[in-house]
């Protein structure tokens, strides 16, 4: 992508994402992703009903009457975007490829995080970890992230969610909220890594898919290619059994993915490239309140 074109796209997505995060997501995001830690705030005299475990014995001894520690929720979060950049994200049947929707969602979440004074970082992954951007604050950092999201060229084609989750779990020591954004077209098993990651962090899965991926249209002979392996084959889409088998494959795949989310306790949402991702994210946020 040429520099001038990239800058135009960065500016366009900045305007759109900033407006969405300021006008729509601000309160919803804050409520859905509260700080999980507790920080010491002050001490006050013991009152009936206070937890004995909160007594500050040093202050109590100094003033010869009981005092308790008061804690406040740590509002600042560390937010990680775990972004799939595999070749399958380059597919789109309605004039918009999956990668574009991923970029818009990621940018909107990034601006929402910054407006809530959260740090944000990114891990781009294919079947390897392509790039790690450590979490920071600030508009300059956000624009750098968006430029990377729009212009990043992966070295590899495949998908390995298991590897990406394990890397993130080891790389980020402090508990964080992680948005895993992918089409989840992965032949590997990532259930165990997802469960482990969600124990240490707060994982939220966002699936981006294309409607054509859910069912085959009756168009006769069609040559299809796997963008991640380069494999090609001809299929007869006029055959009802072929279309039925494909639909069953898709449903089975979705069921396995949803089961992995459920067993791992991971909140999730699926977004089609044809639908408004804003509504889908708002529903996700509301479920977490």
């Amino acid at each position: 992508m040429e520099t001038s074109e990239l800058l135009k796209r960065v500016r366009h997505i900045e305007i759109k994402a900033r407006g969405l995060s300021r006008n729509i997501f601000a309160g919803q995001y804050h409520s859905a992703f509260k700080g999980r830690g507790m920080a010491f705030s002050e001490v006050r005299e013991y009152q009936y009903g206070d937890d004995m475990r909160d007594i500050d014995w040093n202050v109590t001894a100094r003033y010869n009457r009981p005092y308790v520690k008061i804690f406040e929720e740590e509002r600042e979060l560390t937010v990680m975007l775990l972004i799939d950049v595999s070749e399958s994200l380059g597919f789109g049947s309605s004039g918009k490829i999956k990668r574009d929707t991923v970029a818009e969602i990621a940018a909107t979440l990034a601006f929402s995080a910054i407006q809530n004074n959260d740090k944000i970082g990114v891990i781009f992954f294919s079947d390897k970890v392509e790039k790690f951007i450590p979490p920071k604050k600030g508009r300059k950092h956000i624009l750098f992230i968006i430029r990377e999201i729009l212009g990043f060229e992966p070295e590899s084609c495949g998908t390995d969610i298991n590897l990406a989750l394990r890397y993130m779990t080891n790389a980020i020591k402090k508990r964080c909220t992680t948005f895993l954004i992918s089409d989840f077209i992965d032949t590997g098993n990532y259930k165990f890594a997802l469960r482990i990651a969600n124990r240490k962090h707060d994982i939220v899965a966002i699936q981006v898919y294309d409607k054509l991926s859910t069912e085959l249209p009756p168009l006769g002979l069609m040559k299809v290619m796997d963008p991640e392996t380069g494999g090609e084959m001809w299929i007869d889409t006029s055959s009802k059994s072929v279309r039925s088998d494909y639909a069953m494959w898709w449903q089975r795949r979705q069921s396995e993915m949803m089961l992995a989310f459920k067993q791992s306790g991971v909140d999730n949402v699926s977004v089609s490239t044809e639908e408004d991702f804003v509504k889908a994210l708002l529903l996700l946020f509301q479920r977490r309140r």
Side-chain angles (χ1 to χ4, degrees), residues 49-197:
D50 285 340
D51 193 330
M52 296 289 289
R53 292 172 296 183
D54 291 336
I55 290 179
D56 188 320
W57 296 105
N58 290 329
V59 178
T60 295
R62 189 182 310 152
Y63 291 100
N64 203 30
R65 56 183 184 271
Y67 276 79
V68 293
K69 297 177 181 178
I70 305 300
F71 295 86
E72 290 182 351
E73 182 182 65
E74 288 183 310
R75 178 46 229 151
E76 180 182 293
L77 292 175
T78 296
V79 176
M80 290 299 300
L81 301 178
L82 198 51
I83 302 177
D84 184 352
V85 291
S86 62
E87 281 298 311
S88 62
L89 271 296
F91 178 75
S93 63
S94 59
K96 187 176 185 179
I97 63 174
K98 288 183 283 185
R99 187 172 291 117
D100 291 339
T101 300
V102 167
E104 290 184 3
I105 291 173
T108 302
L109 292 171
F111 276 112
S112 297
I114 286 296
Q115 287 181 13
N116 279 274
N117 201 37
D118 296 334
K119 295 179 181 178
I120 187 158
V122 180
I123 295 174
F124 294 104
F125 73 93
S126 54
D127 53 10
K128 70 175 188 176
V129 174
E130 297 275 354
K131 186 167 187 175
F132 171 50
I133 302 175
K136 293 181 183 178
K137 295 182 181 181
R139 180 176 180 273
K140 184 177 180 181
H141 180 62
I142 284 292
L143 293 181
F144 169 70
I145 285 175
I146 293 174
R147 279 194 291 269
E148 288 296 298
I149 290 171
L150 293 176
F152 188 78
E153 295 290 339
E155 294 181 0
S156 196
C157 300
T159 306
D160 193 335
I161 295 173
N162 173 64
L163 175 68
L165 285 168
R166 287 194 288 109
Y167 179 89
M168 190 277 300
T169 302
N170 293 326
I172 307 299
K173 303 303 180 185
K174 182 181 177 182
R175 181 176 174 85
C176 72
T177 294
T178 298
F179 293 96
L180 171 56
I181 313 174
S182 174
D183 57 8
F184 289 88
I185 296 178
D186 185 348
T187 57
N189 189 341
Y190 52 83
K191 290 181 183 179
F192 182 72
L194 189 63
R195 189 180 304 121
I196 295 299

Side-chain angles (χ1 to χ4, degrees), residues 9-21:
R9 289 192 65 193
V10 169
R11 182 58 179 161
H12 172 75
I13 207 166
E14 178 192 6
I15 293 171
K16 182 176 180 178
R18 185 184 291 276
L20 287 172
S21 60

Side-chain angles (χ1 to χ4, degrees), residues 33 178-180 184 194 198 202-207 254 257-271 280-281 283-285 287-288:
F33 304 100
T178 298
F179 293 96
L180 171 56
F184 289 88
L194 189 63
N198 200 46
D202 178 19
I203 310 296
V204 180
I206 302 176
Q207 181 197 28
Q254 289 294 101
M257 179 189 72
M258 295 303 294
L259 181 62
F261 294 155
K262 183 178 180 180
Q263 291 178 340
S264 304
V266 169
D267 290 326
N268 62 91
V269 67
S270 294
V271 182
L281 290 185
L283 287 173
L284 172 67
F285 291 178
R287 291 203 305 267
R288 290 177 56 94

